Amino acid sequence: MVATSTLKPKSSECVSELADRRYDHGCIDAGLDVWLDCLDETQRTADATEDRTCQQLAKMFENCLSRAKKTTLHCSSVLVPEKLTRRIAREVLRLASCEPCGLRGSVLYVHLELDKGCKQLERIVYDATVVPTFELTLVFKQDGTAWPSLRDFLFMGTCFAPTFRHALKLSPGFRLVKKKLYSSSAGTVIEEC
């Protein structure tokens, strides 16, 4: 017997069919309850695993931005909109869900779109033991509406190099580009969020 989430629990047709075969109604109800409990537990476990993976991925993006702020972005802080990395992680998981190895078969390129073009921040291999089957390019966007603070003007030319910025504010929008590597129907999917 295969139980799926589309099974209608305790449907009158199912119960009446089993009753016609002289099964006890109490036994039928108890058996269906056991299957429903199993389905619920499986769904809860899958949801918890996906949520944990989403949190880990969001943390990877936050760490990437943290490492890049001094080395690549030349700023003292990066202001990230609330839940942006979590939203990105959910989208990445959604795009990876139809791949043979899922997220484990991905290579993630993280970029930041600046006024003068894109700057690569990092290359993340989620699982180095798996041959990549697809690439995802994440492009964070700079918030163009952000005004420089008075502190930025005061610091310019004094104790920091002219290329140093005090804070970089990210936009809530981002772009994900998915490129399949090993497929006869290899294509590119661009998602603007």
Side-chain angles (χ1 to χ4, degrees):
M1 173 185 254
V2 175
T4 65
S5 60
T6 58
L7 178 68
K8 294 190 174 155
K10 298 183 184 180
S11 70
S12 58
E13 296 166 5
C14 180
V15 172
S16 65
E17 180 183 326
L18 292 173
D20 289 343
R21 294 184 188 169
R22 298 185 184 172
Y23 287 101
D24 179 33
H25 280 285
C27 182
I28 294 168
D29 286 342
L32 288 173
D33 286 341
V34 168
W35 277 107
L36 290 174
D37 289 343
C38 288
L39 288 172
D40 289 344
E41 182 62 32
T42 303
Q43 186 62 41
R44 279 194 300 270
T45 302
D47 290 346
T49 302
E50 185 176 331
D51 191 51
R52 203 172 321 115
T53 305
C54 190
Q55 288 174 352
Q56 290 171 345
L57 198 53
K59 191 69 176 164
M60 285 174 72
F61 294 135
E62 291 166 8
N63 291 339
C64 169
L65 290 169
S66 179
R67 284 187 297 273
K69 72 181 178 184
K70 296 233 182 199
T71 59
T72 310
L73 299 175
H74 305 292
C75 61
S76 62
S77 62
V78 177
L79 305 175
V80 181
E82 186 178 3
K83 298 182 183 175
L84 174 65
T85 55
R86 183 88 172 175
R87 265 184 37 233
I88 293 169
R90 275 195 306 270
E91 284 298 311
V92 168
L93 287 175
R94 186 182 64 77
L95 288 172
S97 67
C98 60
E99 292 298 322
C101 298
L103 187 60
R104 293 178 57 230
S106 69
V107 175
L108 294 146
Y109 294 96
V110 183
H111 294 266
L112 174 65
E113 189 175 87
L114 298 167
D115 301 331
K116 300 172 186 171
C118 275
K119 186 176 261 193
Q120 183 171 341
L121 303 182
E122 200 165 306
R123 178 181 182 265
I124 301 170
V125 178
Y126 195 78
D127 187 344
T129 64
V130 177
V131 175
T133 57
F134 70 104
E135 293 176 344
L136 282 173
T137 302
L138 165 63
V139 182
F140 285 106
K141 296 181 178 185
Q142 184 178 4
D143 189 354
T145 62
W147 284 75
S149 70
L150 182 59
R151 258 189 309 193
D152 288 340
F153 286 117
L154 294 175
F155 282 135
M156 280 185 190
T158 56
C159 59
F160 296 107
T163 59
F164 188 87
R165 276 184 287 207
H166 185 65
L168 175 72
K169 185 176 179 186
L170 297 181
S171 163
F174 61 92
R175 184 172 53 246
L176 270 174
V177 179
K178 176 181 176 180
K179 181 180 175 188
K180 293 187 177 205
L181 299 176
Y182 302 104
S183 173
S184 59
S185 63
T188 303
V189 176
I190 300 173
E191 300 228 351
E192 194 86 28
C193 301

